[in-house]
Amino acid sequence: MDGIDPTGALRRIQEAVAAARAGTGDQDRVLDALSGLRLLREELASWEPELIAAARAAGASWVALAPALGVASRQAAERRYLRLQPSHTGEKTGEARVDAERDRRAGDRAVADWARRNSAILRQLAGRVSALDGLGPAGQASADRLGAALGDDDPATLLPPLAAAQPHLTGAHAGLAEQLGEISAHTDQLRRDAAGNRRSRD
């Protein structure tokens, strides 16, 4: 609460409630208490996801968090956290944020599985791109990042730098750029299919 002391706000609210119960509450005092209560509620709501994230960062499991949050299961604890999180992709409600996060995870799993099955192809393409000569500064930096990603054991880590390299492959490299575009389109479709399949099972 910008400019408002939560402890002081809570004290004023308690005093207004006590006065109202005693029949001595006046309109201005009650309205001020209601305004303070709204601001305090907003502040508390912002603290909860921060504290959950801090607990997770400190090693707390969703199972351990569940009783602290007053819910019965790890799934409910995670769901509560997702509902409280601000949306970065435009979802208007907590339920929509939960669905969007589950869609993203289902898509990530589908893409990672596909990448592992097609590891040889992805590594071959990444090797070709990282070995190209004559790229501009931005293109060369992109190729260097791709070369570094080749050292990772998980082929799924090659997908973002492959997609990022595509716009830099022009002219004599247009055919290679087309192959990268096909991979990006395929992984996008995998994400959509995975989200659709998840929702059909719910």
Side-chain angles (χ1 to χ4, degrees):
M1 283 183 300
D2 292 341
I4 296 179
D5 170 29
T7 303
L10 181 58
R11 185 183 65 253
R12 289 190 295 275
I13 292 165
Q14 290 173 322
E15 291 170 351
V17 169
R21 288 173 177 171
T24 59
D26 63 81
Q27 175 179 300
D28 288 343
R29 188 176 193 181
V30 172
L31 290 175
D32 181 64
L34 285 170
S35 178
L37 184 61
R38 175 180 56 81
L39 293 171
L40 189 59
R41 187 184 301 116
E42 291 172 357
E43 183 74 352
L44 291 172
S46 74
W47 288 350
E48 187 171 358
E50 288 184 43
L51 289 172
I52 294 172
R56 290 287 291 159
S61 68
W62 290 113
V63 171
L65 276 163
L69 297 176
V71 297
S73 68
R74 65 167 301 283
Q75 292 88 351
E78 187 172 9
R79 188 179 187 88
R80 180 175 179 83
Y81 175 63
L82 292 173
R83 290 184 66 187
L84 292 170
Q85 283 288 81
S87 171
H88 301 295
T89 50
E91 292 78 22
K92 300 296 185 184
T93 67
E95 286 303 315
R97 288 194 290 275
V98 170
D99 277 340
E101 177 64 14
R102 289 181 172 177
D103 285 350
R104 184 190 66 76
R105 290 180 184 178
D108 285 350
R109 286 192 297 271
V111 168
D113 288 345
W114 177 87
R116 289 168 192 137
R117 291 194 307 271
N118 292 273
S119 173
I121 294 171
L122 293 176
R123 291 189 182 282
Q124 180 189 46
L125 286 171
R128 289 173 60 191
V129 173
S130 63
L132 290 175
D133 292 323
L135 298 175
Q140 188 58 56
S142 181
D144 290 344
R145 285 192 293 272
L146 189 51
L150 272 168
D152 197 295
D153 290 337
D154 186 355
T157 61
L158 294 171
L159 292 170
L162 280 170
Q166 183 192 357
H168 303 292
L169 306 182
T170 57
H173 310 306
L176 189 52
E178 185 177 352
Q179 287 181 273
L180 300 189
E182 289 171 356
I183 287 174
S184 292
H186 183 65
T187 54
D188 286 346
Q189 186 62 52
L190 285 172
R191 290 183 183 281
R192 289 191 292 271
D193 291 346
N197 291 337
R198 183 198 70 77
R199 294 185 181 209
S200 68
R201 291 192 300 268
D202 287 353

